[in-house]
Amino acid sequence: MNILVTGAAGFMGKNLVENLKNLRDGKNRTRPNIFIGKIYEYDRDSTPEDLKRFCADCDFVFHLAGVNRPKNPEEFYQGNFGFSGTLLDTLKKHNNKCPVMVSSSVQASLSGRFGTSDYGKSKLEGENLFFAYQQESGAKALVYRFPNVVGKWVVPNYNSAVATFCHNIANDLPITVNSRETELELLFIEDLIEEMFDALEGKENRCEFEGVEAIPKADGRYCFVPTTHKKTLGEIVDLLYQFREHPQTLIIPAIPNKSFEKKLLSMYVSYLPRDKAVFPIKTNKDERGSFAELIKTLDCGQVSVNVTKPGYTKGQHWHNSKWEIFIVVSGRALIRERKIGSDEVFEYEVSDDPIQAVYILPGYTHNITNLSDTDDLITIMWANELFNPEKPDTFFEEL
């Protein structure tokens, strides 16, 4: 399958092209039914001859080219309507009836605050072109009305408030929020790409629209991405400021799989300047070695790294409710545990070959000894709760 992507150098186009390459090159094996040959990238620097050649040989078109921030309203119609007509005319000349996916916008609904939008009007005219083309040629037209599309590589200070917030907060620049209660419907680029893969497999999600709301319908006229997130500007900004504090607090918020928080954090860190992509970790050192907290979470405890010098023992304490997992990643260790009030000692001799995990149980005093005479012992330690210096739940008892 040869694929043509218009607007290939734009935000959506670049993300799509790079992920199509992953499928083509076998790096992404999640879509075994998609076989990609050539990927034709059409953008501003392409020529009319390029378009003719691409349209003659493609088996699927992703039409992402468009104009959203012109100098004058006429450019909306030239970019969102005029070029669409050129694309369809070129496909017709080559009698190419391959499926065409079209990137439109919820603004094309012309509902509510979008009622006078020149951008929305130009997108609606573009949609009608493709519906008419589908009726005339029999070719499949997949018209998607997207809400605010966000994710890595969105240009800040252009047409995405979320991208601007991410960039400015990551770079310690001011932001302006006119109303914290303003709600946005956000579509992350990774979810959009998965839907594009579905479209390639003929499994696009269909719908009808009631205003800007997509109503799923198996035989719907339009297509949509089913996974979007509605959040207020206040919620978005508060999360971004929380993300910014990570180098100081080490706290990562709850980021369940497929959650808004997980996706927004991935977007935010993509805007970090080079000098903020590295930050120091506080490390406590003494003659026995060192200890450093690495990652803290509000719901899944924390991860630390412990270095023990040759011949030394660390620990010698117990916890009421805290429990841990010790994983030796370099060296050889003896881990010992004894239940409080008992004389029975459990011993585990572990090393980095093979790597093993040892549960450190609540109510058991425990220690760890470096068995090497020459090499440091490095242990990754996970605890089920954050260390609270005001209530450390750590009580000395020698083992």
Side-chain angles (χ1 to χ4, degrees), residues 161-327:
V162 179
T164 301
F165 292 162
C166 285
H167 172 269
N168 286 18
I169 291 174
N171 287 272
D172 298 321
L173 298 174
I175 64 169
T176 300
V177 180
N178 294 323
S179 173
R180 286 178 54 87
E181 287 71 40
T182 299
E183 186 179 73
L184 299 180
E185 182 179 9
L186 301 176
L187 167 58
F188 283 89
I189 189 65
E190 292 78 14
D191 294 318
L192 187 154
I193 288 169
E194 289 302 316
E195 174 65 21
M196 297 302 95
F197 290 169
D198 285 342
L200 280 176
E201 294 181 328
K203 300 186 301 186
E204 68 276 1
N205 285 281
R206 291 277 178 174
C207 72
E208 293 292 347
F209 275 90
E210 293 183 4
V212 298
E213 295 294 324
I215 310 301
K217 188 177 181 181
D219 60 348
R221 190 184 193 206
Y222 290 91
C223 300
F224 77 115
V225 182
T227 304
T228 62
H229 303 269
K230 293 182 178 179
K231 297 291 180 180
T232 65
L233 292 180
E235 291 174 309
I236 294 168
V237 168
D238 289 347
L239 271 173
L240 292 175
Y241 278 120
Q242 186 178 348
F243 297 161
R244 189 179 70 171
E245 297 306 310
H246 171 250
Q248 287 75 45
T249 66
L250 300 181
I251 294 177
I252 295 177
I255 50 174
N257 188 35
K258 299 182 180 180
S259 67
F260 171 77
E261 292 78 7
K262 180 178 184 294
K263 297 170 187 177
L264 184 64
L265 180 54
S266 293
M267 179 178 177
Y268 169 77
V269 296
S270 74
Y271 289 88
L272 286 174
R274 291 185 63 181
D275 62 337
K276 287 192 176 183
V278 59
F279 61 91
I281 295 289
K282 179 183 176 182
T283 304
N284 299 307
K285 296 182 178 181
D286 60 24
E287 71 280 357
R288 300 172 301 160
S290 64
F291 178 83
E293 297 175 321
L294 301 180
I295 296 173
K296 298 181 179 181
T297 70
L298 295 177
D299 59 342
C300 293
Q302 70 177 51
V303 178
S304 306
V305 60
N306 185 73
V307 178
T308 308
K309 293 295 182 180
Y312 277 97
T313 296
K314 285 187 171 184
Q316 309 288 41
H317 59 244
W318 63 281
H319 315 288
N320 274 309
S321 60
K322 183 184 298 182
W323 61 279
E324 301 164 289
I325 298 175
F326 287 5
I327 304 172

Side-chain angles (χ1 to χ4, degrees), residues 103-116:
S103 169
S104 187
S105 167
V106 293
Q107 292 194 39
S109 67
L110 302 181
S111 62
R113 61 191 177 94
F114 302 132
T116 58

Side-chain angles (χ1 to χ4, degrees), residues 12 33 91 141 191 213 317 337 343 364-366:
M12 287 192 291
N33 296 322
L91 289 170
D191 294 318
E213 295 294 324
H317 59 244
E337 299 185 62
D343 294 328
Y364 281 69
T365 188
H366 51 275

Side-chain angles (χ1 to χ4, degrees), residues 54-101:
F54 299 162
C55 285
D57 195 42
C58 65
D59 302 299
F60 197 104
V61 178
F62 288 105
H63 182 38
L64 306 179
V67 173
N68 51 32
R69 287 288 293 272
K71 294 180 180 179
N72 58 73
E74 288 75 20
E75 292 181 42
F76 276 134
Y77 298 91
Q78 295 169 8
N80 297 328
F81 179 79
F83 177 70
S84 293
T86 301
L87 171 65
L88 295 180
D89 287 343
T90 308
L91 289 170
K92 288 178 189 177
K93 288 177 182 177
H94 292 281
N95 195 31
N96 189 339
K97 299 181 181 180
C98 72
V100 182
M101 171 270 165

